[in-house]
Structures are given as structure tokens and as C-alpha cells.
Amino acid sequence: MTYFDFHHHHIQRENGIYNLRFNETVPFGLFSAGIHPNDAGWNIPNQFDWLEEISKHKNCVAIGECGLDGLIDVNNSIQEDVFNRQIELANERNKPLIIHCVRRFSQLIPLKKKAKVPMIVHGFNKRKTVGEELQKHQFYLSFGKTVLHHVNLQQFVKDFPLEKLFLETDDDDFNLQELYQKVAELKGITIEELQEKMKENLKIFNISTVL
Ligand SMILES: [Zn+2]
């Protein structure tokens, strides 16, 4: 366990959670599977058949990415319906939800109470007020590349509880070590302490057994 990559799209990477796509071959390591809002407008029955099966896999540690996106051309109520079904599935499987949310935070927050599992908003890079609202409602947040250069976001990360934090590359191409370095600096702790903290956070999700 070195630099755990909480959400990524790099099939070769071993240390992290790979975002598996519909009908894709299962990777060797941990993965999450879900229906992205982008895909909520087509082929739903087949995608759910796939998801219900694949989510039983022992290395499938979370449902997602799934959620709501205000910038895409997919009907909002369809998006919410597909998302709700994934919340139910996550409850059944007792696996956390990795959330993709763009401009739909006020719609997302009320859905939190339906989930009996942790919800992690991945790639968080929004305003402090949005972040604080999510924090208040017990969301976990996973941060990516933006933290390296966005001063306001750095300020937010500095104050955000380590117990609710993850780090990820998503589909960006950069060295995750730099992000760990930056966040350790902001928190005034060593990289080793940060790695240890990330490991503890993963235990909350019952996935430490496969690390
Ligand atoms: Zn992603």
C-alpha cells in the first residue's frame, strides 16, 4: 500500500480502484462498477443486468461512478432514476457509492438519506460552500489533480477532515505522489502519516482484506 488511487481509469494500475466500464473484462485488482449519468439514456436493462452480476464480484468494492450531471444531454429524471436504482443496489450489496456530480449538488444531498452505505463524491473541485454542505451531510470527498494548483481548493482541503478524504487521479495523467505530497504539506503531516490515514479510511469500507 503506497499511493492508493481512490478512483482511476488506468487499467494497468494495481494500487487503487479501477473504474470498470460496461461489459469490460474484470481487472486483476480492485474495481468499482456503475452506470455513469452519461450512459443513463441508453440500454438500461442490459446495463443493470451487467451491474447486478458484476457487483457481486469480491474485487468490486464500490458502486459507481454514478450520479447526476447538469451539463449533459440526458434527461434529468432519467438520471435520477438510474442513480436511485444504484443506491438501492449499493445498499443490497453493502458497498459504498462513488459519486459523479456536476452542478446537481442540491439534488444529490437529499438522496444521501436513502443510502445505507458511505457516499464518496469523487473529483471534488467545487466551491468551499458546496464542500461544507457535503461535509455537513457526512459525504466523503475524493480530491484529484486540481488540488495541485487551485489555491482556494487547497484551503478547503486543509480544513477538511482527514477521516473523510481520499485522493485520486481519475482519468488525468499525473504523478499521484505529487498530490500526496501536496496534501501532506497542507495538513502538516508526513506522507507516511497520510498513507496510513488513507489505509484506515479504506478499512471503514471493508476493503482492507483485499489490499
Ligand atoms: Zn472517473
Side-chain angles (χ1 to χ4, degrees), residues 87-135:
I87 295 174
E88 285 164 22
L89 181 65
N91 288 342
E92 265 173 48
R93 298 278 183 271
N94 193 24
K95 293 179 178 182
L97 284 146
I98 299 179
I99 310 292
H100 166 101
C101 188
V102 178
R103 295 200 186 174
R104 286 288 179 268
F105 288 100
S106 56
Q107 194 183 343
L108 170 69
I109 287 170
L111 298 174
K112 175 74 172 63
K113 56 180 180 300
K114 295 190 179 183
K116 298 175 192 140
V117 294
M119 275 185 162
I120 308 96
V121 172
H122 99 85
F124 185 79
N125 59 9
K126 295 298 179 281
R127 290 191 319 274
K128 187 173 182 247
T129 48
V130 178
E132 285 171 347
E133 199 56 28
L134 292 169
Q135 185 183 340

Side-chain angles (χ1 to χ4, degrees), residues 7 9 19 65 122 170-171:
H7 170 83
H9 298 258
N19 188 86
E65 54 186 304
H122 99 85
D170 200 0
D171 50 8

Side-chain angles (χ1 to χ4, degrees), residues 130-139 141 156 159-161 164:
V130 178
E132 285 171 347
E133 199 56 28
L134 292 169
Q135 185 183 340
K136 203 173 93 190
H137 289 86
Q138 309 299 319
F139 283 87
L141 299 182
F156 177 70
D159 298 331
F160 189 76
K164 288 288 174 82

